Structure formats: structure tokens, C-alpha cells
Amino acid sequence: MRVLFNSSILRAPLTGIGHYAAEIASALQRDERFQMHFFDGRKVISKPGDSPATTAQGAALLRHLPGAYQFRRGREQFHFNRAVVRLQPQLYHDPSLWPLHFDGPTVMTVHDLTHIDYAWTQPRARVRAIEKHLPDALRKAQRVLVDSQFIGAELQRHYGVAHSKIVVAPLAPGALFHPRREAQLTATLQRYGLRYRHYFLFIGTLEPRKNLITALRAHASLPKKLRSELPLAVVGGDGWLTHDIEKELDAAIASGGVQRLGYIDRDDLTDVLAGAKLFLFPSLYEG
């Protein structure tokens, strides 16, 4: 079966959904039943991950330039249509809730419905784009993958998606994530100024939904000596609506006991996670 897979989300730096898409793309490519082709937003490539990284400037334009979401989608649809004419795929697979228009069978993934109950945690332009395209995409898709029964039920409640369309495919940790001994982590932790089992860890893109401010305030409520012995390491790249987050984070760093590590690639992230005393996950909402 010829499958056209939308791999545009695989532009580095990868976050959660990007890693999800990479794992699915890799598994499908190993399955001999499928002849895989990958659409990177502009052209068809032979394997996922061949596309250039998203620049910080490009990401900022998408968040702040009026009409950027609509422009990007229109551009991608144009190139996608050309790819479809050339390849004549039998199935289109999009690992996100932004599938492009395709007249044939489509599989898509819905990780969450943040734009409904937590719309204030996302840029308004992003929410409007989702509200415009998601209902039609759900109606046309033959199968909708979800990470949990909860999101499957949300799709039925908010959009009336037939139960027969929904496939619950729970997520799992990648093979890289497993316990490690202190000696295995020393070099990595030293690069980030961390000590084995002597730090709390927060991982998440800087955006309101991840609720970093609550983690910062909780850590600040600890006795000063404990904050010094167990600093809070904050891992994650810049997201959106970050003004209040940045203000609180800068104050926490200035007062001591908080370290901002920024985006960390997956190989180092597995070590940083394995070496933490405690992982904090105060997210307001997840799929």
C-alpha cells in the first residue's frame, strides 16, 4: 500500500508530538506492507527527518504574524496537492489534528482538545485555525487515533465522532528511557551543572498549559536550605504566551535554586531525567 505520511511536524527541535510522529513513521517504514512516502511541507522525501530544522525566527513568525497559520496551511496544501498527483497514494496519514485535504482514505491523530476547555493557554490565531479545520477533518477521516479513552470520549462528546472511527493507541516510553546508574550519568549531568539525585526536574515547552509557574511557586515555598540542596532544573524550549512565565522564571533564577537549561536533545534528556530526585508534571491538561 502506498502511504503518504505528513512528516512536516518532524522539523527539529522535536517536542512531544514530534517524537510521537517520528516513532510512528519509523515503525511504518519498517513494515513491508507499506510503501512509505513522507511529505515535509514542501516536497516528498525518502525518509522522515531529512527536512531542515525550524528556525527560531520561523517559529516566532508563526506565533505572532497575523494570518501566518492560514498562509502556511495554504502553501503546504498547494505542495501537497502536487505530491498527491504524482504519487497517487492509497492512504494519507497525518500524526496530528492538522491534516491537509485529501480525497482518499485518511488516518489522523488527536492528542488533546486543548482549544476547547483551555483555549486561553494557546494563541488565538492557533485556536481559530483548529476550530476552522478540525471538524471537517474529523468528518472525513476513516480512523482517528487517540492517546487515551478520555480523548476518545471527548471527541464523541464535542464533535459526535462515531465510536467505530476511534482507535485508542496508548503511548509508551521510547527504549532510550530506562533507569541508569550514577556512573553512567556523571558526564552529562556535569555539563548541565547538576548532581545525581540532587535536583527536581520540570520538562515542558514554555507555554501556559504546562503550568511552570505553579512548579516555581511550590519550589519557592521550600526552606532555603532545601532549595539550595535540591534546585529546580527547568528543561524546555520557548513556546507562546510566555510573558508572565518568563517574568516568574527570571525572578526564581535571580533568587537562587532554579536553573534554566533550555531545550535538551533526546540523548541528554534521558540522562537528565534518570538522574533527577523528583520529576514535576503540573500540566493543567493533557491527552
Side-chain angles (χ1 to χ4, degrees), residues 103-243:
D103 288 330
T106 300
V107 175
M108 62 181 290
T109 301
V110 175
H111 295 280
D112 58 66
L113 296 177
T114 305
H115 66 285
I116 293 179
D117 292 325
Y118 292 87
W120 60 272
T121 66
Q122 297 190 339
R124 291 181 181 178
R126 178 183 174 88
V127 173
R128 286 195 297 267
I130 295 172
E131 290 175 339
K132 179 179 179 180
H133 297 291
L134 182 58
D136 191 51
L138 291 171
R139 181 178 60 81
K140 291 179 178 179
Q142 273 62 47
R143 292 291 184 272
V144 181
L145 304 183
V146 295
D147 302 334
S148 64
Q149 292 180 354
F150 165 69
I151 293 301
E154 290 281 273
L155 284 176
Q156 290 178 276
R157 180 162 70 94
H158 290 293
Y159 292 102
V161 178
H163 182 269
S164 59
K165 271 191 178 187
I166 298 171
V167 178
V168 179
L171 305 183
L176 284 174
F177 292 91
H178 56 78
R180 288 166 166 80
R181 295 186 301 275
E182 181 176 0
Q184 297 173 284
L185 306 175
T186 301
T188 302
L189 297 185
Q190 284 181 345
R191 285 204 304 275
Y192 293 102
L194 302 172
R195 291 191 300 138
Y196 181 75
R197 294 289 188 266
H198 279 80
Y199 60 94
F200 297 143
L201 179 64
F202 171 95
I203 301 173
T205 301
L206 265 61
E207 55 164 298
R209 179 169 60 94
K210 297 302 182 179
N211 201 20
L212 172 59
I213 288 177
T214 291
L216 293 171
R217 291 176 180 175
H219 188 262
S221 71
L222 298 173
K224 186 176 181 178
K225 184 174 184 296
L226 189 55
R227 293 202 309 273
S228 177
E229 292 174 355
L230 290 164
L232 174 61
V234 177
V235 172
D238 292 336
W240 46 68
L241 305 177
T242 61
H243 179 269

